[in-house]
Amino acid sequence: NMSNLLKRKSKKETHQLKLADPKAINLLYQLMNDVHMLLTHFGVQYWVDGGSILGIIRHKGIIPWDDDIDIGVLKKDIKKFLY
């Protein structure tokens, strides 16, 4: 099982995660705000997906080592803001 696999890993196999620069995290929050304003303006429904939703649930914000925002939109809505 998975817990046994994790216990067998040696210290050499442990990977250290590099935290994102706090300035980059602040820029991601600003980017998300800007994207929200644009999509809302054009009447596009969207959702936060992937690591971004995981961060919201697990970290109450952006995952400290994440460097992007995952957003989904319906294919039919893409033309509302691209053309």
Side-chain angles (χ1 to χ4, degrees):
N1 71 25
M2 186 58 116
S3 62
N4 289 335
L5 289 173
L6 293 174
K7 288 177 187 175
R8 287 188 218 151
K9 285 193 174 263
S10 69
K11 288 184 181 181
K12 286 183 181 179
E13 295 178 45
T14 303
H15 299 285
Q16 294 292 324
L17 296 173
K18 184 177 178 184
L19 298 179
D21 180 345
K23 289 180 184 178
I25 296 291
N26 286 335
L27 288 172
L28 287 175
Y29 280 114
Q30 183 60 54
L31 176 63
M32 185 61 223
N33 183 66
D34 294 346
V35 168
H36 167 75
M37 297 300 286
L38 283 169
L39 295 178
T40 301
H41 173 76
F42 287 106
V44 175
Q45 290 184 324
Y46 71 93
W47 61 92
V48 181
D49 208 359
S52 295
I53 193 70
L54 179 65
I56 291 167
I57 294 167
R58 197 190 292 173
H59 300 276
K60 308 298 185 235
I62 295 174
I63 296 174
W65 53 88
D66 206 358
D67 61 359
D68 67 352
I69 298 172
D70 306 302
I71 300 169
V73 297
L74 296 174
K75 189 174 182 177
K76 70 176 183 67
D77 286 338
I78 292 174
K79 60 186 163 193
K80 289 182 180 178
F81 62 95
L82 288 182
Y83 302 105

